[in-house]
Amino acid sequence: MGKYKPPAERKHGKGVQYCRRCGSTDSVIQKYGIYLCRQCFREVAYPLGFKRLR
């Protein structure tokens, strides 16, 4: 078996930002320190105090 090198610790970029609720790294909302993916944000936005503008 060959040598094993663990993945590098990420400091910048999409690999660092993850959803606090589901752990996804896709489309994470960082504004206001929310750190939720867009799907989780839609589920919990109203209880957090966000309202839809129509």
Side-chain angles (χ1 to χ4, degrees), residues 19 22 24 26-29 35-42:
C19 176
C22 69
S24 171
D26 298 330
S27 58
V28 175
I29 299 170
Y35 289 98
L36 292 172
C37 67
R38 62 184 178 82
Q39 292 90 348
C40 291
F41 178 75
R42 287 192 58 144

Side-chain angles (χ1 to χ4, degrees), residues 2-46:
K3 296 179 182 177
Y4 173 72
K5 184 177 178 183
E9 186 68 30
R10 302 280 179 211
K11 295 179 185 164
H12 307 288
K14 288 183 79 74
V16 176
Q17 303 142 9
Y18 60 92
C19 176
R20 291 182 182 173
R21 196 160 178 245
C22 69
S24 171
T25 57
D26 298 330
S27 58
V28 175
I29 299 170
Q30 304 173 63
K31 196 169 184 177
Y32 311 118
I34 294 174
Y35 289 98
L36 292 172
C37 67
R38 62 184 178 82
Q39 292 90 348
C40 291
F41 178 75
R42 287 192 58 144
E43 294 173 7
V44 298
Y46 193 74

